[in-house]
C-alpha cells in the first residue's frame, strides 16, 4: 500500500492510517521510510509525505478497497478533484501477484511504475518484487524511471532531507 498526505499534520495522518490499517486490514510486515515529494498531477499544492507498507491480510482485494475508503473517510479525506490535496490517500499497489481489472479496482496500480514517489519507497522495502504485468522487478523499474520529481527521504529535522 502507498500512503500519502499533504494537508494538516502529515505525519499524524500517516501514523493514524497505519494504525487503522493494522486494526482493520491486517498486519503490517514492512514499512518504508517516509519520503517528501512535490505534488504530482496538480503541481501548485503543498508537498506530500509518502510511505509504502507491506500488509498481510485475510481480506479480499474488494474488502481491502472498502476498508481503505472507510479509513480515508475517518481521517477526513474529501474527494473534490482528481489529484487534489488530501489529509490521507491510500492506494493498493499490489495484492500478491494478482492482476485485477474492474471499474472500481485495478491491481497492480496502473501508474505505480511511472511515479518516483511510489517507486522510491517501494524499492526500499521490496526491490526484488516482480510486477505481475510488466514482468520486471521493482529495482529494474526504478532504474528505468523517467519521472524527475524530487523525492527526499524525510527526517523530522527538515535540513537533513536526502534527495533520492
Amino acid at each position: 500500500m502507498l500512503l500519502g498526505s499533504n494537508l494538516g499534520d502529515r505525519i499524524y495522518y500517516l501514523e493514524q492510517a497505519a494504525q487503522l490499517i493494522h486494526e482493520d486490514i491486517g498486519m503490517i510486515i514492512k514499512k518504508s521510510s517516509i519520503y517528501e515529494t512535490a505534488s504530482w498531477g496538480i503541481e501548485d499544492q503543498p508537498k506530500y509525505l509518502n510511505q509504502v507498507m507491506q500488509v498481510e491480510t485475510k481480506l479480499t482485494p474488494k474488502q481491502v478497497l472498502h476498508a481503505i475508503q472507510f479509513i480515508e473517510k475517518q481521517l477526513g479525506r474529501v474527494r473534490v478533484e482528481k489529484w487534489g490535496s488530501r489529509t490521507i490517500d491510500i492506494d493498493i499497489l499490489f495484492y500478491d501477484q494478482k492482476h485485477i481489472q474492474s471499474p472500481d479496482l485495478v491491481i497492480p496500480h496502473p501508474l505505480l511504475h511511472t511515479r518516483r514517489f511510489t517507486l522510491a519507497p517501494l524499492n526500499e522495502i521490496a526491490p526484488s518484487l516482480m510486477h505481475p504485468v510488466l514482468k520486471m522487478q521493482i529495482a529494474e523499474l526504478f532504474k528505468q524511471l523517467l519521472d524527475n520529481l524530487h523525492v527526499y527521504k524525510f527526517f523530522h529535522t527538515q535540513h537533513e532531507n536526502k534527495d533520492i
Side-chain angles (χ1 to χ4, degrees):
M1 289 184 192
L2 171 69
L3 282 65
S5 175
N6 77 330
L7 290 178
D9 185 342
R10 301 171 301 165
I11 293 286
Y12 168 81
Y13 287 115
L14 293 180
E15 289 172 348
Q16 289 300 301
Q19 180 63 39
L20 292 169
I21 287 167
H22 176 77
E23 292 171 8
D24 300 342
I25 297 174
M27 183 183 302
I28 297 171
I29 306 299
K30 287 184 187 175
K31 287 173 28 173
S32 74
S33 301
I34 295 172
Y35 292 78
E36 185 171 56
T37 67
S39 181
W40 188 95
I42 300 175
E43 297 175 6
D44 61 341
Q45 297 180 41
K47 291 181 180 179
Y48 275 86
L49 290 185
N50 293 106
Q51 184 175 41
V52 168
M53 53 185 60
Q54 178 185 355
V55 179
E56 188 174 281
T57 186
K58 294 183 183 195
L59 301 180
T60 66
K62 292 263 183 168
Q63 289 171 326
V64 171
L65 176 64
H66 293 303
I68 284 170
Q69 290 170 338
F70 184 71
I71 290 168
E72 289 176 337
K73 190 173 183 177
Q74 283 180 284
L75 295 177
R77 166 100 190 248
V78 179
R79 294 177 187 272
V80 178
E81 64 180 325
K82 187 173 186 166
W83 299 320
S85 291
R86 65 225 41 195
T87 54
I88 194 70
D89 180 40
I90 307 169
D91 290 331
I92 302 170
L93 300 178
F94 295 101
Y95 189 100
D96 294 328
Q97 286 292 299
K98 293 186 186 300
H99 181 211
I100 299 169
Q101 188 95 29
S102 71
D104 60 340
L105 182 61
V106 177
I107 298 175
H109 190 287
L111 296 176
L112 78 88
H113 64 285
T114 66
R115 296 173 167 176
R116 184 170 300 278
F117 70 85
T118 303
L119 283 179
L122 185 56
N123 189 51
E124 178 187 326
I125 67 168
S128 62
L129 178 66
M130 185 66 70
H131 191 294
V133 176
L134 301 176
K135 305 295 185 206
M136 294 175 69
Q137 291 183 333
I138 297 305
E140 294 172 280
L141 292 171
F142 187 64
K143 285 179 191 170
Q144 294 181 8
L145 190 60
L146 299 176
D147 179 12
N148 61 359
L149 187 74
H150 288 285
V151 175
Y152 304 92
K153 267 195 181 176
F154 182 79
F155 299 95
H156 291 284
T157 56
Q158 286 297 312
H159 34 93
E160 292 182 38
N161 291 351
K162 181 181 175 191
D163 196 5
I164 303 297

